[in-house]
Amino acid sequence: MNSSNFLKALNLQKHDTPPIWLMRQAGRYLPEYQKIRRDYKNFLDMCKKPEICARLALQPIERYDLDASILFSDILTVPDAFGLGLAFYEGEGPKFSNPISEPENIANLKSFDLNTLDYVFRAVEETKKILPVDLPLIGFCGSPWTLAAYSIEGSGSKDFKKTKQFLSEQPQALKDFLNILTDACFQYLKQQVLSGVNAIQIFDSWADLLTTKDLETFSLIYTRKLAQMLKDDHTTKKIPIILFEKAPKMNIQDLVFKDLSCISLYWQEDIKNASTTLRNKLAIQGNLNPKVLLESDEIIWNETKKICQIMKNYPGFIFNLGHGVTPNIDPKKVEVMIKAIRS
Ligand code: CP3
């Protein structure tokens, strides 16, 4: 048994004060992060230093006394392991030098070698060494769809035009690629668990590109398969799985499935409705619009309290934002929100 409120909430236990963690809790909004980040030209080089990753994961825990830590890494380490050549350029976000542009690129992909991601597993081990005892560590991966979208687009994008074109012209090749990514994500998450993570979050950050039908066909099928693989494996079967879907064009009851422990609600979702639908079935985390943290202390306080009030009697509520903390947020504003939750 563990004494962590976060893991208890994932098992649908009720708490007077909800456990708290934040998507993208370690990152550019923290001056202590910036201080370390300055030593690296390429963000990925920093991700390859396990001791540094551990220190970065610990920073928000030390500052805010949060209830869970998240591995410091990135979802794009997996496509990078396939040889797509990931780099992060200043102010531009991620870019692949060898993106997937035609079906042949998928047929000719080199096979996935878990050893190339050894730096991630070592980061898990180092982080576990320095985290407070009993503080859970969340491991993660991107959903197969979100990883495919980045791999095809070659970078972040406003409209993901290439990805949408690939989907409509080469659906079978895309499905082959999604299967390859699903298998890689399974191996990757299993090894994170073997290295010490206590829960898993799957980020479907580009779910919003898909119509209702395509969300099922190109994303959920593979995420469910990935979850099933984790539940069928004796090392990972007990690990709680959290799913984040960005702005999904689907009702919450159609989105969730039996192998999930928790749904991470995007800020546009109606948490009241979700709480009625999912009560006693799934834990719920998230939903506060990260932009609220740009407002006055009073607004932050009130908006935070609103969510706490709605979720007061919900068994398995975890406080989180409805998407990641953005770099423009003042760390002091996060403190206001946390005070409101804990008061
Ligand atoms: O506390 C944490 O969450 C840190 C670990 C973490 C990072 N990325 C570190 C990071 C996690 C869980 C992620 C997930 C991630 N990465 C997602 C899913 C979450 C979401 O926001 O939807 C996505 C889509 C990515 C891809 C990615 N990585 C982008 C688009 C960028 C550039 C812009 C941005 O959003 O920060 C990154 C780089 C990145 N990953 C940074 C950090 C701290 C910033 C790098 C820098 O300092 O230059």
Side-chain angles (χ1 to χ4, degrees):
M1 275 309 284
N2 64 77
S3 54
S4 137
N5 283 346
F6 171 70
L7 293 174
K8 282 182 185 160
L10 287 174
N11 286 303
L12 303 188
Q13 293 181 30
K14 189 182 161 293
H15 288 280
D16 294 334
T17 308
I20 310 169
W21 74 279
L22 308 174
M23 282 198 268
R24 299 297 198 92
Q25 64 192 21
R28 284 169 297 180
Y29 74 111
L30 293 178
E32 57 270 37
Y33 170 86
Q34 295 287 9
K35 194 156 177 263
I36 294 180
R37 176 71 177 86
R38 276 200 283 275
D39 296 341
Y40 298 86
K41 207 166 170 292
N42 187 346
F43 170 73
L44 198 56
D45 292 338
M46 189 170 75
C47 291
K48 290 182 178 172
K49 296 268 189 300
E51 288 87 2
I52 299 292
C53 292
R55 275 172 64 195
L56 294 172
L58 193 67
Q59 285 177 346
I61 307 301
E62 288 185 322
R63 189 187 264 265
Y64 303 120
D65 190 23
L66 298 166
D67 296 282
S69 169
I70 182 159
L71 164 67
F72 193 90
S73 191
D74 199 82
I75 61 168
L76 300 179
T77 53
V78 170
D80 185 56
F82 280 101
L84 304 192
L86 175 65
F88 288 84
Y89 296 101
E90 201 58 55
E92 285 184 57
K95 271 211 162 59
F96 289 108
S97 52
N98 312 306
I100 302 289
S101 54
E102 47 195 50
E104 288 70 45
N105 299 146
I106 295 166
N108 296 333
L109 270 182
K110 66 176 187 183
S111 62
F112 180 64
D113 177 3
L114 201 56
N115 291 321
T116 57
L117 293 170
D118 194 49
Y119 64 91
V120 178
F121 313 128
R122 282 172 40 229
V124 172
E125 288 167 5
E126 291 304 320
T127 309
K128 286 300 278 186
K129 277 188 208 160
I130 64 169
L131 280 181
V133 186
D134 279 344
L135 197 96
L137 178 61
I138 303 164
F140 67 88
C141 72
S143 72
W145 161 251
T146 290
L147 299 181
Y150 269 109
S151 306
I152 294 167
E153 204 64 33
S155 65
S157 155
K158 278 214 162 61
D159 52 9
F160 276 79
K161 216 169 143 191
K162 289 182 199 153
T163 306
K164 287 178 176 167
Q165 192 176 349
F166 199 96
L167 184 153
S168 68
E169 289 173 7
Q170 303 291 349
Q172 190 49 51
L174 177 57
K175 288 175 187 177
D176 293 345
F177 188 32
L178 290 165
N179 273 318
I180 292 169
L181 289 168
T182 304
D183 193 59
C185 286
F186 165 67
Q187 292 182 50
Y188 184 53
L189 291 174
K190 178 174 173 177
Q191 194 59 40
Q192 288 184 31
V193 171
L194 285 167
S195 308
V197 306
N198 310 98
I200 283 165
Q201 176 144 334
I202 301 171
F203 289 96
D204 197 9
S205 301
W206 291 112
D208 59 327
L209 297 176
L210 297 168
T211 60
T212 309
K213 188 164 161 281
D214 285 347
L215 180 59
E216 171 59 26
T217 311
F218 294 100
S219 182
L220 290 174
I221 284 184
Y222 299 93
T223 299
R224 284 201 296 266
K225 189 171 160 198
L226 171 59
Q228 181 73 56
M229 289 165 95
L230 292 164
K231 292 297 161 186
D232 285 347
D233 189 289
H234 71 280
T235 6
T236 47
K237 70 178 177 203
K238 292 216 168 108
I239 298 292
I241 303 171
I242 308 169
L243 177 64
F244 170 72
E245 291 285 325
K246 180 183 171 196
K249 295 182 186 72
M250 200 180 272
N251 292 329
I252 197 86
Q253 63 266 33
D254 300 328
L255 200 69
V256 300
F257 50 91
K258 70 169 173 35
D259 293 326
L260 293 180
S261 292
C262 179
I263 187 90
S264 193
L265 281 190
Y266 188 59
W267 58 268
Q268 287 170 338
E269 302 280 329
D270 179 345
I271 196 168
K272 197 160 184 190
N273 168 54
S275 73
T276 315
T277 312
L278 302 179
R279 198 176 182 84
N280 298 324
K281 294 191 194 110
L282 234 61
I284 292 180
Q285 86 175 7
N287 197 236
L288 183 73
N289 187 344
K291 288 209 173 87
V292 166
L293 293 174
L294 299 170
E295 302 287 345
S296 68
D297 290 5
E298 196 191 346
I299 293 177
I300 294 171
W301 188 275
N302 293 341
E303 292 300 313
T304 302
K305 283 289 186 192
K306 246 190 232 167
I307 291 184
C308 291
Q309 190 57 34
I310 295 169
M311 299 306 281
K312 207 168 105 187
N313 293 311
Y314 190 89
F317 173 55
I318 297 159
F319 200 97
N320 204 317
L321 302 175
H323 202 181
V325 188
T326 50
N328 56 350
I329 283 169
D330 176 350
K332 285 202 195 76
K333 296 289 186 179
V334 174
E335 246 159 62
V336 175
M337 178 192 79
I338 291 176
K339 261 200 198 117
I341 304 161
R342 292 189 170 148
S343 74

